[in-house]
């Protein structure tokens, strides 16, 4: 049996679940459901990134001990993932004792590539990284992503010798040993790789206590990204539980484009240092914008995902973020587009189709002869295997719209009126079976709606008592 390992970025715990986190979970869930239906055994990791300055400072601001703060926040994320019906199998917290122990073992294995040196430079706690003098100047001393001035830090740190691996990483990216999607991000990464200095991988305890202690050096804790990236391995048992070798290398690692650099440079370098294979694919999705703008607390345009979920329920949420949000590029969220997608597409195209067909079938006492061996069509599989999920979804939606057209053209109600029973039977059987095939493909995107549709056309046909997607406007 094929083993498929899918990972998602682990969110920082210093805020509430964000719409961007939902993108990671929904994309990963689509691939997980698709792979399971193909017969693969699937591991789908999720988790939380709980160390580092950002979180420590937030807890301090609130006057809560940091341990208590993270403990109180983690359930919000678990609830959120459950609300999205994302079918994860494993959850890792970077404050789990087992994770911490395994990260320390990882550190020890990487030791020959690590050295200690003094450093003075500009740091952004929002990004949790040092920026170069050039970058700092270009941005006038303020991080454009976090609108915070860079801090001048002078510290003794451990460094990870990225230079040991640069050539091999370049080769792995160029040869697609580690595929970076979308293709246009590959060039950006190769350019960054050339410019990448060795990475500082620890902070002095005098600056930061909230981290995994560096083994054999009480004066330092690990850099949050080393700790965080390692989650993908510790959660599957690395290094002490050999089960990890069943799952590693990951089939696909899903991250937003803002954190691709960590996943495409530091992470492969760590893996090479450990003597492990690189992930097969890193899928970097775009950012969700609000009314064309980056979401930010200071602008006050942050879209609350729970509010979006509440408006029309989960199917509408997944529909919008998996179809109208392109898998690879930045996309906009507006309430108007959301309303339109719900009313014009989910309600009009899919809801109506189910209602019409089920009512016609029931009224005419149709004996439904279901086709055996429902499966994925070749074209759909082609899109899924190349991780073009929004295009796969478009393809399924075309089928749904086509079925509506066919009903209009074939006018089964006229066949009924003219007592053309045999023709009516063939026509409805064809339409319903085609709908069930489309519904099978739809089920990875909208599992809840798909279950209801399979139920409507179960052993007996029962039109939904209330429409699947009640309309909210004319
Ligand atoms: N803790 C790190 C990830 C460590 S992974 C080893 C982190 N956390 S985060 O909370 O800032 O982001 C988590 C995920 O949410 C990332 O994939 C990020 O790209 C995604 N998004 C956060 N805001 C987003 C949008 N506005 N749009 C789409 N996704 C974005 O980075």
């Amino acid at each position: 049996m094929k083993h498929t390992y899918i990972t998602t970025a682990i969110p920082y715990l210093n805020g509430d679940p964000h719409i961007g986190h939902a993108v990671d979970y929904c994309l990963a869930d689509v691939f997980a459901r698709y792979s399971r239906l193909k017969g693969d055994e699937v591991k789908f990791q999720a988790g939380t990134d709980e160390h580092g300055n950002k979180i420590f400072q937030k807890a301090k601001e609130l006057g809560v001990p940091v341990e208590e703060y993270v403990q109180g926040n983690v359930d919000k994320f678990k609830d959120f993932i459950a609300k999205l019906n994302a079918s994860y199998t494993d959850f890792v917290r970077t404050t789990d004792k087992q994770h911490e122990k395994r990260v320390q073992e990882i550190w020890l294995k990487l030791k020959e590539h690590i050295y200690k040196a003094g450093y003075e430079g500009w740091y952004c706690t929002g990004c949790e990284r040092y920026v170069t003098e050039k970058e700092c100047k270009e941005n006038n001393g303020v991080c454009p992503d976090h609108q915070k001035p860079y801090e001048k830090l002078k510290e003794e740190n451990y460094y990870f010798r990225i230079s040991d691996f640069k050539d091999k990483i370049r080769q792995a990216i160029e040869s697609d040993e580690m595929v970076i999607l979308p293709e246009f991000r590959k060039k950006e990464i190769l350019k960054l790789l050339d410019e990448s200095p060795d990475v500082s991988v620890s902070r002095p305890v005098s600056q930061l206590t909230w981290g995994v202690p560096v083994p054999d050096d009480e004066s330092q804790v690990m850099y949050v990204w080393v700790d965080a990236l390692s989650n993908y391995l510790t959660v599957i048992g690395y290094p002490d539980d050999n089960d990890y070798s069943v799952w590693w290398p990951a089939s696909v690692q899903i991250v937003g484009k803002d954190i691709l650099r960590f996943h495409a440079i530091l992470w492969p370098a760590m893996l090479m240092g450990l003597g492990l294979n690189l992930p097969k694919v890193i899928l970097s999705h775009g950012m969700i914008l609000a009314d064309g703008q980056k979401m930010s607390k200071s602008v006050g345009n942050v879209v609350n995902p729970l509010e979006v979920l509440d408006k029309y329920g989960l199917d509408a949420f997944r529909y919008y973020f998996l179809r109208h949000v392109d898998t690879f590029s930045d996309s906009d969220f507006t309430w108007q587009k959301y309303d339109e997608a719900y009313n014009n597409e989910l309600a009009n195209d899919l809801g109506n189709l189910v209602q019409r067909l089920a009512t016609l079938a029931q009224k005419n006492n149709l004996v439904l002869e279901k086709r055996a061996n429902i499966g994925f069509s070749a074209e759909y599989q082609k899109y899924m295997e190349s991780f073009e999920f929004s295009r796969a979804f478009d393809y399924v939606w075309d089928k749904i719209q086509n079925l509506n057209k066919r009903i209009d053209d074939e006018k089964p109600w006229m066949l009924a009126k003219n007592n053309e029973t045999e023709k009516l039977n063939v026509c409805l059987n064809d339409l319903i079976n085609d709908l069930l095939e489309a519904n099978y493909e739809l089920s990875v995107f909208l599992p809840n709606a798909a279950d209801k549709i399979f139920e409507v056309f179960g052993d007996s046909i029962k039109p939904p008592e209330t429409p699947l997607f009640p309309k909210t406007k004319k």
Side-chain angles (χ1 to χ4, degrees):
M1 185 187 279
K2 192 174 160 206
H3 289 89
T4 295
Y5 179 32
I6 303 163
T7 73
T8 52
I10 52 174
Y12 293 121
L13 265 195
N14 61 335
D16 288 336
H18 186 277
I19 207 113
H21 304 147
V23 176
D24 275 350
Y25 301 134
C26 288
L27 293 175
D29 190 53
V30 163
F31 199 63
R33 288 178 190 272
Y34 166 75
S35 304
R36 283 192 200 105
L37 285 174
K38 271 191 342 184
D40 298 358
E41 198 171 328
V42 171
K43 202 178 257 303
F44 170 176
Q45 153 282 14
T48 39
D49 192 355
E50 305 190 9
H51 289 126
N53 239 324
K54 255 201 241 250
I55 290 158
F56 190 76
Q57 282 175 0
K58 181 80 191 188
K60 212 163 127 190
E61 252 171 62
L62 298 172
V64 186
V66 65
E67 294 83 354
E68 225 172 83
Y69 174 69
V70 292
Q71 189 60 39
N73 252 8
V74 70
D75 284 340
K76 284 192 200 163
F77 282 81
K78 285 191 172 166
D79 289 349
F80 181 56
I81 304 176
K83 282 204 167 110
L84 296 173
N85 196 1
S87 55
Y88 72 95
T89 57
D90 294 70
F91 195 92
V92 55
R93 299 179 57 181
T94 54
T95 52
D96 286 341
K97 285 290 155 262
Q98 195 176 44
H99 167 82
E100 292 184 353
K101 191 173 142 270
R102 287 175 171 161
V103 179
Q104 288 182 321
E105 286 170 40
I106 288 174
W107 177 283
L108 290 172
K109 282 175 186 282
L110 292 175
K111 226 173 163 178
E112 62 175 290
H113 305 285
I114 291 175
Y115 61 96
K116 203 172 188 181
Y119 187 77
E120 188 171 356
W122 298 104
Y123 194 81
C124 170
T125 29
C127 304
E128 294 283 17
R129 71 179 178 94
Y130 277 105
V131 297
T132 57
E133 197 64 47
K134 187 172 150 228
E135 200 174 342
C136 179
K137 251 200 202 125
E138 278 169 4
N139 295 329
N140 296 322
V142 179
C143 171
D145 285 345
H146 299 94
Q147 301 301 326
K148 267 193 191 166
Y150 296 118
E151 287 172 57
K152 187 88 177 189
L153 295 185
K154 190 174 177 183
E155 334 179 301
E156 273 261 283
N157 289 341
Y158 284 103
Y159 285 83
F160 185 66
R161 219 179 279 112
I162 294 275
S163 44
D164 289 352
F165 305 102
K166 273 191 183 176
D167 290 345
K168 275 171 70 190
I169 296 175
R170 165 174 295 284
Q171 212 179 8
I173 295 176
E174 282 174 344
S175 68
D176 280 346
E177 176 193 333
M178 176 178 81
V179 175
I180 294 180
L181 291 176
E183 178 78 22
F184 63 83
R185 295 251 169 259
K186 226 161 117 167
K187 271 204 198 105
E188 290 171 15
I189 289 296
L190 288 172
K191 188 159 174 285
L192 270 177
L193 180 66
D194 281 342
E195 297 162 2
S196 285
D198 288 351
V199 177
S200 157
V201 286
S202 73
R203 306 287 314 273
V205 172
S206 56
Q207 300 292 330
L208 174 73
T209 47
W210 186 236
V212 181
V214 167
D216 309 327
D217 186 346
E218 284 175 0
S219 72
Q220 301 271 325
V221 295
M222 279 184 215
Y223 173 49
V224 66
W225 272 100
V226 170
D227 171 13
L229 288 164
S230 300
N231 93 84
Y232 302 129
L233 289 174
T234 62
V235 74
I236 52 172
Y238 186 84
D240 49 290
D241 180 346
N242 220 17
D243 200 38
Y244 80 84
S245 57
V246 172
W247 299 103
W248 195 259
S251 316
V252 58
Q253 301 209 256
I254 294 173
V255 299
K257 70 171 188 189
D258 55 331
I259 57 168
L260 176 62
R261 60 162 70 211
F262 298 100
H263 287 80
I265 299 175
L266 174 58
W267 179 226
M270 286 170 63
L271 290 166
M272 284 174 176
L274 296 169
L276 294 172
N277 287 329
L278 302 189
K280 291 183 192 138
V281 176
I282 303 182
L283 186 168
S284 73
H285 59 77
M287 295 288 116
I288 308 283
L289 307 172
D291 286 319
Q293 268 191 319
K294 191 178 150 65
M295 282 183 230
S296 99
K297 280 189 195 144
S298 50
V299 179
N301 63 347
V302 177
V303 177
N304 176 354
L306 299 175
E307 204 184 312
V308 183
L309 268 167
D310 271 354
K311 181 144 193 196
Y312 300 123
L314 176 63
D315 289 313
F317 187 99
R318 291 180 59 124
Y319 178 74
Y320 189 87
F321 288 99
L322 287 166
R323 180 154 184 249
H324 288 293
V325 166
D326 178 86
T327 308
F328 300 120
S329 34
D330 291 353
S331 299
D332 208 22
F333 175 88
T334 66
W335 284 104
Q336 192 194 339
K337 283 190 196 167
Y338 195 61
D339 290 341
E340 281 169 9
Y342 176 79
N343 284 299
N344 301 346
E345 296 165 23
L346 268 178
N348 263 2
D349 294 344
L350 183 60
N352 269 354
L353 175 65
V354 171
Q355 201 77 35
R356 280 168 104 186
L357 279 178
T359 311
L360 276 163
Q362 195 191 42
K363 251 196 189 156
N364 294 291
N365 298 318
L366 179 79
V367 180
L368 181 60
E369 286 167 50
K370 283 191 200 162
R371 282 178 211 143
N373 300 329
I374 248 185
F376 295 130
S377 59
E379 196 161 349
Y380 176 87
Q381 286 196 64
K382 194 188 81 198
Y383 288 130
M384 294 304 271
E385 301 291 333
S386 51
F387 303 93
E388 296 173 279
F389 300 147
S390 50
R391 294 189 66 183
F393 205 164
D394 284 342
Y395 169 77
V396 177
W397 212 258
D398 274 353
K399 287 187 178 181
I400 286 162
Q401 289 177 327
N402 231 342
L403 280 164
N404 278 311
K405 264 191 226 118
R406 269 171 58 195
I407 301 183
D408 294 343
D409 292 347
E410 294 172 24
K411 301 187 177 49
W413 55 90
M414 289 303 289
L415 298 175
K417 198 171 158 203
N418 298 337
N419 287 326
E420 294 184 78
T421 320
E422 190 46 35
K423 267 195 182 163
L424 175 67
N425 193 30
V426 171
C427 166
L428 287 180
N429 257 294
D430 262 2
L431 289 165
I432 293 174
N433 273 302
D434 286 352
L435 168 63
L436 293 179
E437 279 183 11
N439 195 43
Y440 184 74
E441 295 182 334
L442 186 72
S443 70
V444 311
F445 296 105
L446 309 181
N448 295 10
D451 276 355
K452 285 187 204 150
I453 295 170
F454 280 130
E455 235 178 84
V456 167
F457 300 99
D459 288 337
S460 63
I461 296 178
K462 297 182 289 286
E465 279 167 20
T466 51
L468 288 186
F469 305 105
K471 283 188 100 169
T472 58
K473 62 172 190 197
K474 290 262 154 64

